[in-house]
Amino acid sequence: MPNQPNYPINLIASDIDERSFVSEQKQKRELLSRYEYYRDPATPFSSLVVEVDKMNDEYRNTDIVATGMNGEDVSLNDIKAALVRWLEIINNRYAVNTIKSLNYDLTIYINLCHDHQINPFNISEREFIDVCSGRIKEYKPATLSRWGNSISKFYDALKITNPMKDELVKSVFIKHRKEKGAGQRQAVGMTMDHLEKLFDILEPGEQLANIRDLVVLSLMFECLMRRAELINIEIEHLILDEEQPLLYIARSKTDQDGSDSTFVPFSWRTQRIIKRWLRLSGIVDGYLIRGVTKYGTVRKTKASADIVNKITKRASELLGMELHLSGHSGRVGGIQELVRNGSSNIAIQLNARLKTPAMVARYSRKISGGSLPMADMLKNIK
């Protein structure tokens, strides 16, 4: 066996230190590059990154600013590295609207910490309750719960002490839920009768916006659709000339990767109004739902989700309703009609692309109350 060269110990140590330094500098450059990328206003987390970067006014990147889950010291540089990695994971995993909500929640939280002059990465349970007190008083339990979940995900991702898991903090959120009640106001359901009346009002004539509105209202009711699903319908998703007209739903809120894509039925009346819309608008490919200008021309790009709210608001006014329909009213009303018709919860769950049958019960609470045994007995009491 050949003799190994005898390098001086101090030379070996120096070489190791140099390699470590080079590796560390490379990591810092990569971190800075990714951090600058997320600071760009065109990216969905820019406001959050800007808020976190305010810490540089108080600390150097090497300063210890937090305690890790295992009790270790965490520097501001460590926080930034973990944050950038988490943002990349979030961008890959979640839908755009989920990302926007997460960014909105966390930006507000970090900004509140700055307003209270508290380091958000080293916050005690009582400081956390103080920072959140304004929102606890102002918001309903459902909104506050979503906000708290966003904050909890944030701390877990950074692997630092999570105030949301403290028992005192949990008790404050539980008390708020008990005092304000956890029930959420449900959207007004659109009914078959509403749709019939809207056809009587809007179908006569050749006005593009009227025909487009009927397409939206019919599909949202008959296909139990969410706003995002509606505006993402493409011409190729429609099966118009088979024995049963069908709509292919490639993705939904509960199926972001399209692994459970499905076909749902709609009526011959809806098929007729869709064909009329395509003929009048001249749309031959791309997105089905488009904006219509004040000059009566059809826009070339996909409509925003706001268009659904504008259509339902106009429909409410045409119907003379005191409580306005919303972008969720077609879905709620369609599910309620199926419950009245005696369809099973499982069948409705599949048709509406719901995660659990329990969601069907939530949509139909009012109808279910009227079908309880006592309701039959009370009918005879005048």
Side-chain angles (χ1 to χ4, degrees), residues 197-330:
K197 288 177 181 176
L198 288 167
F199 263 88
D200 290 342
I201 297 168
L202 297 174
E203 191 173 17
E206 301 284 290
Q207 193 172 337
L208 272 170
N210 287 352
I211 306 305
R212 186 272 320 274
D213 289 2
L214 283 177
V215 170
V216 169
L217 294 164
S218 296
L219 287 173
M220 68 187 294
F221 177 81
E222 295 180 0
C223 298
L224 311 175
M225 301 197 79
R226 303 175 176 94
R227 277 170 294 205
E229 293 171 344
L230 265 168
I231 62 170
N232 282 304
I233 297 172
E234 296 184 45
I235 305 303
E236 64 183 25
H237 296 159
L238 297 163
I239 299 175
L240 298 173
D241 297 315
E242 298 290 334
E243 186 176 340
Q244 169 63 64
L246 295 171
L247 170 66
Y248 173 66
I249 299 181
R251 297 166 187 263
S252 67
K253 181 180 177 182
T254 56
D255 177 32
Q256 295 295 330
D257 62 1
S259 56
D260 293 324
S261 56
T262 187
F263 290 89
V264 291
F266 55 88
S267 68
W268 288 105
R269 180 178 67 182
T270 299
Q271 181 236 42
R272 183 184 75 236
I273 207 71
I274 289 173
K275 283 189 170 183
R276 191 172 169 198
W277 163 246
L278 294 177
R279 177 174 56 80
L280 292 172
S281 67
I283 297 172
V284 293
D285 56 21
Y287 292 103
L288 175 69
I289 309 303
R290 313 276 184 95
V292 177
T293 70
K294 62 181 179 180
Y295 304 108
T297 57
V298 178
R299 299 188 187 279
K300 294 181 180 180
T301 55
K302 176 176 75 171
S304 68
D306 288 342
I307 199 170
V308 180
N309 292 330
K310 290 175 182 175
I311 290 169
T312 54
K313 182 180 179 182
R314 181 183 175 223
S316 304
E317 291 167 353
L318 291 171
L319 293 168
M321 297 177 69
E322 290 184 14
L323 293 175
H324 278 189
L325 300 171
S326 71
H328 211 56
S329 291

Side-chain angles (χ1 to χ4, degrees), residues 169-213:
V169 173
K170 286 181 183 178
S171 70
V172 170
F173 278 72
I174 290 170
K175 182 182 178 183
H176 175 261
R177 195 174 181 85
K178 286 179 179 177
E179 288 178 347
K180 295 216 171 183
Q184 292 178 263
R185 190 178 71 178
Q186 191 174 83
V188 176
M190 185 166 69
T191 66
M192 191 76 78
D193 185 51
H194 289 149
L195 203 51
E196 296 281 354
K197 288 177 181 176
L198 288 167
F199 263 88
D200 290 342
I201 297 168
L202 297 174
E203 191 173 17
E206 301 284 290
Q207 193 172 337
L208 272 170
N210 287 352
I211 306 305
R212 186 272 320 274
D213 289 2

Side-chain angles (χ1 to χ4, degrees), residues 22-224:
V22 170
S23 175
E24 186 178 316
Q25 292 303 306
K26 180 183 176 184
Q27 289 176 353
K28 285 181 179 178
R29 287 196 302 273
E30 289 176 351
L31 171 60
L32 183 62
S33 171
R34 297 306 297 165
Y35 205 75
E36 287 302 317
Y37 167 77
Y38 282 110
R39 193 198 304 276
D40 186 332
T43 61
F45 281 107
S46 60
S47 56
L48 172 62
V49 168
V50 168
E51 287 298 326
V52 171
D53 211 33
K54 287 180 182 177
M55 300 285 286
N56 281 331
D57 295 336
E58 304 170 45
Y59 306 98
R60 297 171 301 168
N61 281 331
T62 54
D63 284 345
I64 304 303
V65 296
T67 303
M69 290 180 177
N70 297 321
E72 71 276 17
D73 291 336
V74 179
S75 70
L76 183 55
N77 210 52
D78 295 331
I79 291 287
K80 288 182 176 182
L83 176 63
V84 166
R85 184 174 185 275
W86 183 58
L87 296 186
E88 291 189 86
I89 292 170
I90 292 296
N91 274 330
N92 291 334
R93 183 175 292 174
Y94 293 112
V96 173
N97 287 339
T98 304
I99 291 171
K100 287 180 179 177
S101 296
L102 200 54
N103 177 58
Y104 176 76
D105 290 340
L106 295 177
T107 300
I108 287 174
Y109 171 64
I110 300 296
N111 199 33
L112 281 172
C113 289
H114 287 313
D115 289 345
H116 283 73
Q117 297 184 326
I118 291 172
N119 173 4
F121 307 114
N122 188 23
I123 187 170
S124 71
E125 65 275 11
R126 295 191 184 277
E127 287 174 330
F128 181 80
I129 292 167
D130 186 48
V131 164
C132 299
S133 60
R135 290 183 72 81
I136 290 172
K137 290 174 185 175
E138 184 179 354
Y139 288 94
K140 293 180 180 179
T143 304
L144 195 67
S145 176
R146 191 201 74 181
W147 192 61
N149 285 335
S150 296
I151 293 170
S152 189
K153 287 177 182 177
F154 179 64
Y155 279 107
D156 284 347
L158 300 183
K159 295 183 171 58
I160 58 177
T161 305
N162 185 348
M164 283 297 299
K165 293 186 176 178
D166 180 83
E167 289 302 320
L168 180 61
V169 173
K170 286 181 183 178
S171 70
V172 170
F173 278 72
I174 290 170
K175 182 182 178 183
H176 175 261
R177 195 174 181 85
K178 286 179 179 177
E179 288 178 347
K180 295 216 171 183
Q184 292 178 263
R185 190 178 71 178
Q186 191 174 83
V188 176
M190 185 166 69
T191 66
M192 191 76 78
D193 185 51
H194 289 149
L195 203 51
E196 296 281 354
K197 288 177 181 176
L198 288 167
F199 263 88
D200 290 342
I201 297 168
L202 297 174
E203 191 173 17
E206 301 284 290
Q207 193 172 337
L208 272 170
N210 287 352
I211 306 305
R212 186 272 320 274
D213 289 2
L214 283 177
V215 170
V216 169
L217 294 164
S218 296
L219 287 173
M220 68 187 294
F221 177 81
E222 295 180 0
C223 298
L224 311 175

